[in-house]
């Protein structure tokens, strides 16, 4: 488009409105073209996305918005921004609604599609700067809304609007965009929405996730294109060929010891990767005992599947490797990194991306090192071929009303999603997760791979393609025995005398609460004053936790006391593990930290610990029914061999399914069917979904632990000198990852609460000893502390 022919209307400072709209449409169509989905006719979906993108900011044509954009007076700008006439999304949404309605009017499509597609475009445009709400609420308009839009329309410069319309028609917006037409649209919209509301009541009864997936997909494409166009402009496609034998080549460079465990690991690896790939099988599972190399096997299979899918669909499939805990993100990211480097692949963030809320905000491809603001856009949009991320990031992309979370929803399409340690998903969400994963797999043309030692019964056996004969491997395992010790509940000072701690073996104690772990650590220090003992909980700053995990991996430490943050995925190995009572799957994961490499016979003791008031610590954090089922099953045995773990876990899951209702699932699944993203009346909504449900409110505390922390805090304080909010956020993003190494979360009701400074509770170096113990972390007082 020739800029000399532009309308002189602006979308952003120094950016013509049509330049932004066309750029946004090009990016949205580019993103759409990267994937093949099974939602609706491809050409029709492409037309819909183009119209939505070309219309989404048309409301910025008003003199109200143009005056706001060009005002140099901060007070005047603030006043204009608060005026409803300055808002542009609603009038843009109405234009998009009628544009889509006109586009599909003559097509031979079903009645559902004819009614819903215009409304989906309306929702996407109306909410593109906000979060999604209940769609029925969005289909309601007040008389005041109509009057404001009439005032907005009246303010638009006729000549500029005509030039804008002509320019958009040249790039494919096939509507008669003029003030008379828009005025008619405004007059007609209330009747249209009345019909829509009646229709929405009918589709709510169908219990079909198609419309939920479609709304999210269209919304995601629009908001990602919108943000990306403003900050980055054009995004070039870079593609690095990831060879399907990359893990084989990596493994060939490693010298493995000739041992029984390594023979089994190799057998499992080969069995997984010799499976014939059937692209019609969408739900897959690698179910193996802990320590049998599930990570490498799953990465290798995913690369082979990626190659096969590219051959079949001629589309690039991305790999999304998702884990439940931050503590094991780095470990698995490094595994990917080593594989790629061994295959001479330049590891930049366009190839391999690590994403969680504390990720470093740096992004680069083969040609460019992006600045912080652009990096953030690229990272949060998941612009990479391999993404290593958390369950929180992934499942809150599947199930959310938030703009920031849904922005990357379209990247789920054509992806191979590896769910490592899938047993960490709360049991009450199983049915919800099943329905969502099925919709993602079949509607968005994606693949799900469960990776676990204890596979929960989210899907029935006949719905999952097993990539290993799990029974064969479990039957060969003889590394560990579990010994339930339930003759009596024990106090911590009784537990300390149960074991001969100087028998030459290494001991790991996994307790349920921070308070019990801290107390037992002190008892252990008194008993073994000359031994080095590692303590870990989430009240120890992440900087220290990482160092302690690395120290444990060296196997030079014989004693450790920790909460359950080490029980899944952390590659540490002890001769004896003592576990306070927990649900069966947690116990099995804890057993995975015992004799992991089959060097001798390991022992896992399960005990029931009680506090000074004879209350079980386990009941503070786990469901009573789950604990009762676990304790009853384990009490039937004196010793449980590792080969029997699989049968016991399966029995446990069956009983869980039969004995526990899942109101949380029913409520949120109902909200998904009804497209109730949020609600003002207390009704269940998608926004209520929380993968991790903290039972008490926490606050963040910055601990000025060392010189680096002192420097980081000063940089944070210096941010307040920067008046521009966006620049302030951008600079913070540059050091946020390092900053949060010194941040912990503590219960809001602790008595020993430090003062708040600039949004954080703050412990300075001078008062460090009053609030923080270098061994056991934050000094809580009179508060329940877990994890």
């Amino acid at each position: 488009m020739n800029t000399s022919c532009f309308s002189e209307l602006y979308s952003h400072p120094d950016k013509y409105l049509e330049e932004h709209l066309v750029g946004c449409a090009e990016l949205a169509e580019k993103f759409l073209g990267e994937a093949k989905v099974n939602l609706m006719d491809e050409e029709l979906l492409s037309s819909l996305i183009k119209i939505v993108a070309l219309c989404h900011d048309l409301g910025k044509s008003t003199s109200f918005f143009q005056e706001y954009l060009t005002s140099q007076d901060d007070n005047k700008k603030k006043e204009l921004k608060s005026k409803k006439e300055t808002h542009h999304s609603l009038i843009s949404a109405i234009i998009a609604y009628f544009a889509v309605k006109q586009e599909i009017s003559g097509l031979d499509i079903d009645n559902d599609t004819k009614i819903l597609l215009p409304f989906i475009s309306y929702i996407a445009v109306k909410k593109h700067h906000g979060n999604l709400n209940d769609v029925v609420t969005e289909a309601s308009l007040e008389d005041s809304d109509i009057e404001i839009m009439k005032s907005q329309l009246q303010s638009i410069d006729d000549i500029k609007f005509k030039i804008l319309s002509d320019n958009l028609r040249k790039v494919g917006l096939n509507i008669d965009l003029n003030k008379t037409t828009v005025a008619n649209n405004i007059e007609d919209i209330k009747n249209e929405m009345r019909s829509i509301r009646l229709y929405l009541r009918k589709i709510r009864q169908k219990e079909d996730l198609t419309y939920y997936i479609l709304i999210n997909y269209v919304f995601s494409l629009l908001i990602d294109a919108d943000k990306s166009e403003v900050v980055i402009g054009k995004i070039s496609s870079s593609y690095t060929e990831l060879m399907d034998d990359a893990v084989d080549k990596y493994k060939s460079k490693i010298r493995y010891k000739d041992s029984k465990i390594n023979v089994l690991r190799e057998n499992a690896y080969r069995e997984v990767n010799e499976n014939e790939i059937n692209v019609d099988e969408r739900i897959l599972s690698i179910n193996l005992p802990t320590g049998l190399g599930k990570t490498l096997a799953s990465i290798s299979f995913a690369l082979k599947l990626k190659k096969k899918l590219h051959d079949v669909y001629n589309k690039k499939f991305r790999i999304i490797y998702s884990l439940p805990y931050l503590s094991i993100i780095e470990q698995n990211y490094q595994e990917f990194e080593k594989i790629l480097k061994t295959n001479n692949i330049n590891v930049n963030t366009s190839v391999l991306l690590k994403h969680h809320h504390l990720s470093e905000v740096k992004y680069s491809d083969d040609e460019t090192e992006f600045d912080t603001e652009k990096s953030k856009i690229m990272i949060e949009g998941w612009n990479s071929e391999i993404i290593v991320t958390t369950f929180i990031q992934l499942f809150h992309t599947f199930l959310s009303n938030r703009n920031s979370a849904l922005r990357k929803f379209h990247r789920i399409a054509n992806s191979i999603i590896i769910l490592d340690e899938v047993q960490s998903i709360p049991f009450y969400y199983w049915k919800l997760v099943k329905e969502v994963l099925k919709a993602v797999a079949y509607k968005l043309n994606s693949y799900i791979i469960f990776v676990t030692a204890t596979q929960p019964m989210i899907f029935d056996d006949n719905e999952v393609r097993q990539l290993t004969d799990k029974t064969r491997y479990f039957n060969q395992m003889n590394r560990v025995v579990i010994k339930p010790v339930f003759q009596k509940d024990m106090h911590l000072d009784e537990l300390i005398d149960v074991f001969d701690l100087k028998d030459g073996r290494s001991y790991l104690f996994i307790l349920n609460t921070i308070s019990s772990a801290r107390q037992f650590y002190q008892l252990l220090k008194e008993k073994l004053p000359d031994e080095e003992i590692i303590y870990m909980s989430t009240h120890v700053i992440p900087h220290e936790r990482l160092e302690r995990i690395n120290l444990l991996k060296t196997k030079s430490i014989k004693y450790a006391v920790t909460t359950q943050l080490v029980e899944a995925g952390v590659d540490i190995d002890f001769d004896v593990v003592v576990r306070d009572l927990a649900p069966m799957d947690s116990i099995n994961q804890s057993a995975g930290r015992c004799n992991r490499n089959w060097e001798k016979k390991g022992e896992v003791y399960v005990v029931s610990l009680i506090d000074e008031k004879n209350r079980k610590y386990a009941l503070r954090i786990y469901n009573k029914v789950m604990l009762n089922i676990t304790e009853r099953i384990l009490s039937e045995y004196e010793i449980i061999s590792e080969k029997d773990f699989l049968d016991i876990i399966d029995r446990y899951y069956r009983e869980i399914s039969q004995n526990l209702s899942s109101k949380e699932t029913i409520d949120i699944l109902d909200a998904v069917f009804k497209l109730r993203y949020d609600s003002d009346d207390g009704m269940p909504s998608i926004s209520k979904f929380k993968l991790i449900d903290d039972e008490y409110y926490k606050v963040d505390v910055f601990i000025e632990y060392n010189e680096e922390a002192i420097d980081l805090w000063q940089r944070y304080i210096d941010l307040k000198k920067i008046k521009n909010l966006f620049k302030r956020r951008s600079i913070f993003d540059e050091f946020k990852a390092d900053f949060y190494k010194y941040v912990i979360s503590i219960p809001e009701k602790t008595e020993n609460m430090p003062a708040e400074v600039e949004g954080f509770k703050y412990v300075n170096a001078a008062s460090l000893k009053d609030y923080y113990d270098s061994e056991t972390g934050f000094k809580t007082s009179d508060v329940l502390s877990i994890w």
Side-chain angles (χ1 to χ4, degrees):
M1 297 174 71
N2 188 340
T3 55
S4 64
C5 301
F6 278 9
S7 63
E8 301 296 326
L9 295 168
Y10 291 85
S11 63
H12 303 82
D14 304 320
K15 178 162 282 194
Y16 289 117
L17 180 52
E18 48 265 70
E19 182 184 12
H20 172 59
L21 294 174
V22 172
C24 185
E26 288 175 349
L27 273 181
E29 289 183 285
K30 175 184 182 298
F31 295 159
L32 176 66
E34 289 173 353
K36 176 179 174 55
V37 296
N38 303 314
L39 287 166
M40 55 188 290
D41 176 79
E42 288 183 23
E43 287 188 21
L44 182 55
L45 183 56
S46 180
S47 296
L48 172 70
I49 296 302
K50 186 170 190 176
I51 293 169
V52 163
L54 289 174
C55 291
H56 81 280
D57 271 354
L58 284 174
K60 290 184 175 181
S61 303
T62 68
S63 64
F64 301 104
F65 185 86
Q66 293 299 309
E67 185 184 358
Y68 156 73
L69 199 62
T70 56
S71 176
Q72 300 300 310
D73 184 324
D74 287 346
N75 291 329
K76 179 70 172 174
K77 202 173 184 73
K78 190 175 181 180
E79 178 191 336
L80 287 167
K81 186 177 182 179
S82 66
K83 289 184 68 170
K84 289 186 176 180
E85 287 83 356
T86 306
H87 301 172
H88 66 278
S89 295
L90 180 57
I91 191 169
S92 302
I94 289 168
I95 297 170
Y97 176 93
F98 285 101
V100 171
K101 186 174 182 181
Q102 178 182 311
E103 179 79 11
I104 67 177
S105 60
L107 298 180
D108 182 20
I109 54 179
D110 63 86
N111 195 48
D112 284 0
T113 303
K114 276 194 174 178
I115 292 172
L116 285 170
L117 287 194
F119 182 62
I120 288 172
S121 66
Y122 170 87
I123 291 287
V125 174
K126 184 182 178 187
K127 305 304 291 185
H128 75 274
H129 284 301
N131 300 328
L132 294 180
N133 202 347
D134 186 344
V135 294
V136 173
T137 303
E138 296 302 337
S140 301
L141 287 168
E142 303 293 333
D143 289 339
S144 59
D145 295 326
I146 303 298
E147 293 308 311
I148 288 167
M149 285 189 288
K150 287 180 179 178
S151 176
Q152 288 178 309
L153 184 62
Q154 188 66 32
S155 78
I156 295 174
D157 184 291
D158 294 76
I159 295 173
K160 291 180 179 179
F161 199 57
K162 174 71 166 63
I163 297 170
L164 174 67
S165 174
D166 290 343
N167 284 334
L168 294 181
R169 184 176 280 277
K170 289 174 187 175
V171 295
L173 186 62
N174 301 317
I175 60 170
D176 188 13
L177 182 61
N178 59 64
K179 289 173 68 173
T180 302
T181 304
V182 177
N184 292 334
N185 292 345
I186 293 170
E187 290 293 341
D188 294 341
I189 193 64
K190 286 194 80 172
N191 285 335
E192 293 281 334
M193 288 298 139
R194 193 176 294 115
S195 300
I196 289 288
R197 288 198 300 275
L198 291 171
Y199 190 75
L200 287 172
R201 292 192 181 99
K202 295 179 184 176
I203 69 162
R204 286 176 172 220
Q205 299 167 5
K206 294 186 177 182
E207 298 196 347
D208 183 357
L209 269 67
T210 302
Y211 297 120
Y212 173 74
I213 298 292
L214 183 57
I215 289 174
N216 288 1
Y217 195 60
V218 172
F219 185 63
S220 173
L221 286 164
L222 173 62
I223 59 179
D224 191 22
D226 187 24
K227 288 178 170 66
S228 299
E229 198 284 327
V230 171
V231 176
I232 299 171
K234 294 184 181 296
I235 296 178
S236 59
S237 292
S238 62
Y239 180 63
T240 301
E241 178 115 16
L242 303 176
M243 305 306 294
D244 59 353
D245 62 351
V247 181
D248 298 329
K249 289 181 178 176
Y250 167 68
K251 286 174 80 268
S252 70
K253 307 281 185 181
I254 301 172
R255 295 187 63 181
Y256 293 100
K257 288 195 301 184
D258 186 13
S259 66
K260 190 171 183 179
I261 190 71
N262 281 334
V263 170
L264 283 177
R265 284 173 183 153
E266 183 61 24
N267 290 345
Y269 177 85
R270 288 184 179 178
E271 183 179 0
V272 168
N273 286 282
E274 287 172 2
N275 276 279
E276 186 175 343
I277 294 172
N278 180 347
V279 297
D280 294 326
E281 294 173 328
R282 303 303 180 105
I283 313 295
L284 309 141
S285 173
I286 300 174
N287 188 183
L288 289 167
T290 55
L292 249 64
K294 293 185 289 292
T295 301
L296 283 182
S298 64
I299 293 171
S300 181
F301 181 81
L303 289 171
K304 288 174 170 58
L305 178 58
K306 177 179 166 73
K307 172 70 166 58
K308 174 78 171 181
L309 294 171
H310 185 272
D311 293 343
V312 171
Y313 293 108
N314 195 28
K315 296 289 183 184
K316 297 180 293 184
F317 279 66
R318 67 175 37 81
I319 295 172
I320 301 173
Y321 198 110
S322 187
L323 306 118
Y325 309 116
L326 282 178
S327 56
I328 50 178
I329 283 275
E330 191 66 37
Q331 183 175 294
N332 288 64
Y333 174 85
Q334 288 173 357
E335 202 72 47
F336 269 109
E337 194 173 41
K338 288 185 284 188
I339 291 165
L340 296 174
K341 285 181 177 178
T342 299
N343 285 268
N344 299 315
I345 292 171
N346 180 23
V347 182
N348 55 57
T349 30
S350 70
V351 177
L352 176 62
L353 174 67
K354 175 174 53 180
H355 184 229
H356 51 78
H357 73 291
L358 302 182
S359 299
E360 188 176 31
V361 186
K362 288 184 179 178
Y363 185 94
S364 63
D365 57 24
D366 284 333
E367 299 176 355
T368 310
E369 178 91 30
F370 290 75
D371 64 30
T372 303
E373 189 179 6
K374 291 180 179 179
S375 289
K376 189 171 184 179
I377 289 292
M378 295 297 283
I379 290 167
E380 293 180 352
W382 281 6
N383 289 276
S384 187
E385 293 177 54
I386 302 171
I387 295 121
V388 183
T389 191
T390 60
F391 278 9
I392 292 285
Q393 286 288 344
L394 181 65
F395 283 94
H396 284 261
T397 302
F398 293 152
L399 289 158
S400 181
N401 72 314
R402 291 185 300 112
N403 187 296
S404 57
L406 289 172
R407 184 183 146 219
K408 57 187 180 290
F409 184 87
H410 71 96
R411 301 285 183 206
I412 302 296
N414 286 192
S415 60
I416 299 162
I417 301 168
I418 302 172
L419 296 175
D420 199 345
E421 308 289 1
V422 68
Q423 78 284 344
S424 301
I425 296 170
F427 73 90
Y428 46 81
Y429 282 140
W430 286 359
K431 181 174 172 55
L432 175 65
V433 165
K434 175 180 179 176
E435 294 303 319
V436 170
L437 290 180
K438 277 169 58 180
V440 164
Y442 292 99
K443 299 294 181 185
L444 294 181
N445 197 24
S446 291
Y447 293 79
I448 315 295
I449 305 175
F450 292 144
V451 177
T452 181
T454 54
Q455 183 167 304
M457 293 177 177
I458 295 173
F459 286 87
D460 295 335
D461 286 344
N462 61 358
E463 295 175 297
V464 182
R465 165 76 185 281
Q466 298 290 343
L467 298 177
T468 56
D469 178 358
K470 58 184 179 181
T471 305
R472 180 160 66 93
Y473 293 97
F474 276 94
N475 284 344
Q476 294 182 71
M477 303 311 294
N478 191 28
R479 295 172 297 178
V480 173
V481 294
I482 292 179
K483 296 183 177 181
V485 184
F486 294 148
Q487 292 84 356
K488 64 186 284 291
D489 295 335
M490 273 189 272
H491 292 97
L492 295 171
D493 57 359
E494 294 174 300
L495 176 64
I496 198 76
D497 294 323
V498 170
F499 302 98
D500 176 9
L501 297 174
K502 295 186 177 180
D503 62 3
R505 298 186 296 176
S506 58
Y507 284 79
L508 170 65
F509 295 87
I510 303 177
L511 280 72
N512 283 328
T513 70
I514 289 174
S515 60
S516 62
R518 189 187 294 120
Q519 289 175 53
F520 190 75
Y521 171 71
Q522 297 297 344
L523 290 169
L524 200 57
K525 280 179 62 182
E526 292 170 12
K527 181 111 176 177
L528 303 168
D530 299 325
E531 297 286 351
E532 184 174 4
I533 305 167
I534 291 289
Y535 170 88
M536 282 199 301
S537 80
T538 54
H539 281 188
V540 175
I541 56 173
H543 173 272
E544 281 295 296
R545 287 209 305 266
L546 184 60
E547 287 195 2
R548 293 177 192 186
I549 287 173
N550 289 334
L551 187 56
L552 289 178
K553 287 179 180 179
T554 66
K555 300 186 73 172
S556 60
I557 303 297
K558 289 183 64 178
Y559 306 97
V561 180
T562 175
T563 56
Q564 52 271 67
L565 58 82
V566 300
E567 75 180 14
V570 179
D571 190 10
I572 58 176
D573 196 357
F574 283 80
D575 301 325
V576 179
V577 171
V578 182
R579 180 67 167 93
D580 191 4
L581 179 64
M584 190 76 77
D585 50 347
S586 294
I587 291 170
N588 189 52
Q589 289 300 318
S590 297
R593 307 316 115 204
C594 182
N595 192 25
R596 191 174 178 83
N597 294 310
W598 212 333
E599 293 174 358
K600 43 190 156 181
K601 198 61 168 281
E603 294 182 333
V604 177
Y605 292 86
V606 183
V607 297
S608 179
L609 296 174
I610 52 177
D611 63 17
E612 61 280 357
K613 295 183 179 178
N614 296 328
R615 297 171 301 190
K616 289 186 178 182
Y617 289 106
L619 287 171
R620 296 185 183 185
I621 57 172
Y622 294 121
N623 177 279
K624 184 177 182 179
V625 176
M626 296 170 75
L627 291 173
N628 288 342
I629 293 171
T630 300
E631 194 166 7
R632 179 167 44 77
I633 292 174
L634 290 182
S635 296
E636 296 174 12
Y637 302 85
E638 287 186 13
I639 297 179
I640 304 168
S641 298
E642 187 176 6
K643 64 184 178 60
D644 297 322
F645 288 3
L646 182 63
D647 289 339
I648 288 175
I649 285 288
D650 284 348
R651 177 183 165 190
Y652 166 76
Y653 280 138
R654 281 194 299 274
E655 293 203 30
I656 288 292
S657 301
Q658 293 165 7
N659 285 278
L660 286 171
S661 63
S662 54
K663 187 175 185 301
E664 292 90 342
T665 277
I666 293 166
D667 284 347
I668 295 176
L669 190 54
D670 183 61
V672 171
F673 290 140
K674 293 178 176 176
L675 305 176
R676 191 191 298 118
Y677 287 87
D678 202 0
S679 66
D680 300 323
D681 56 7
M683 290 289 289
S685 65
I686 296 162
S687 65
K688 300 294 190 293
F689 173 74
K690 285 180 69 179
L691 190 65
I692 297 176
D693 189 16
D694 291 328
E695 292 189 5
Y696 56 87
Y697 187 69
K698 296 178 182 178
V699 293
D700 286 340
V701 183
F702 184 90
I703 308 293
E704 214 168 59
Y705 184 73
N706 55 21
E707 290 299 323
E708 181 186 38
I710 292 170
D711 177 62
L712 287 164
W713 181 256
Q714 189 57 52
R715 289 174 69 184
Y716 175 72
I717 291 299
D718 289 343
L719 291 174
K720 66 182 179 182
K721 299 173 185 175
I722 302 167
K723 290 185 178 180
N724 185 292
L725 176 62
F726 294 103
K727 187 175 181 182
R728 196 157 68 229
R729 286 177 180 169
S730 179
I731 292 174
F732 182 53
D733 283 338
E734 292 176 9
F735 64 91
K736 182 177 75 172
D738 288 331
F739 182 87
Y740 272 94
K741 290 176 185 174
Y742 298 94
V743 174
I744 56 172
S745 294
I746 66 169
E748 182 190 31
K749 294 183 179 179
T750 184
E751 288 185 1
N752 191 34
M753 182 66 71
E756 183 166 321
V757 181
E758 297 297 326
F760 282 88
K761 301 295 182 181
Y762 169 55
V763 175
N764 62 30
S767 59
L768 187 65
K769 290 184 179 179
D770 296 330
Y771 293 98
Y772 191 83
D773 184 286
S774 61
E775 294 179 10
T776 58
F778 192 83
K779 298 177 179 179
T780 53
S781 177
D782 293 334
V783 71
L784 165 65
S785 302
I786 63 172
W787 296 87

